[in-house]
Amino acid sequence: MSLSLSQARAIIDTALEKGRADAAQPLAVVVLDAGAHPVACVREDGASLFRFDIATAKATGALGMGADTRIIAARAANNPAFFQSVVAATGGRLALSPGGVLIRDMEGPKAGNVIGAVGISGDTGDCDEACAVAGILAAGLFHGDSK
């Protein structure tokens, strides 16, 4: 299964709804397919200049490292030199903060396979991640390591 535009829009709409319900700062949301190609993205009014870039780095980093950015950030705390090298080697396409979440397929013979990632930036990493997870679940998909 590939990630559809309608699924990406459901992820974005629900993530933004959760952000508003939680009084989050303005968010940028990026949904990428498994090849790190953009499927859909938005930047709320008032989101600061780099929010789109950070959201993209979170989603791309999750795909590139094969884990949610919360897990990657924890690993980086124990091995900062390696992860600084990864950030440099990838041209900054890895953000070491929660809010980059893998999207997994729920159906078919390849259930559980990564089909994309969502990256959100604008509030705390915890808030960004919670909005991403809410969006993924609303689209009827798995997130991170959930199965």
Side-chain angles (χ1 to χ4, degrees):
M1 171 184 190
S2 61
L3 187 61
S4 71
L5 178 58
S6 65
Q7 289 169 317
R9 292 173 86 170
I11 291 168
I12 289 171
D13 290 346
T14 301
L16 294 178
E17 288 171 11
K18 177 153 181 57
R20 294 301 51 99
D22 292 350
Q25 295 295 312
L27 302 174
V29 183
V30 174
V31 180
L32 305 177
D33 68 14
H37 303 102
V39 179
C41 57
V42 298
R43 186 188 66 81
E44 285 187 299
D45 294 343
S48 60
L49 178 63
F50 293 136
R51 292 300 171 190
F52 174 79
D53 299 307
I54 297 166
T56 302
K58 287 181 180 185
T60 305
L63 286 167
M65 297 298 291
D68 292 354
T69 54
R70 173 177 297 282
I71 294 167
I72 297 167
R75 291 176 185 160
N78 295 321
N79 195 352
F82 171 75
F83 282 92
Q84 288 173 344
S85 297
V86 172
V87 171
T90 62
R93 295 186 307 159
L94 171 62
L96 301 172
S97 174
V101 181
L102 294 174
I103 304 169
R104 296 181 182 274
D105 191 358
M106 288 187 68
E107 300 176 354
K110 296 185 179 186
N113 284 359
V114 173
I115 60 170
V118 60
I120 299 182
S121 180
D123 206 273
T124 66
D126 290 340
C127 179
D128 295 345
E129 180 182 65
C131 292
V133 168
I136 292 166
L137 294 175
L141 299 165
F142 289 124
H143 64 90
D145 292 324
S146 67
K147 290 184 185 177

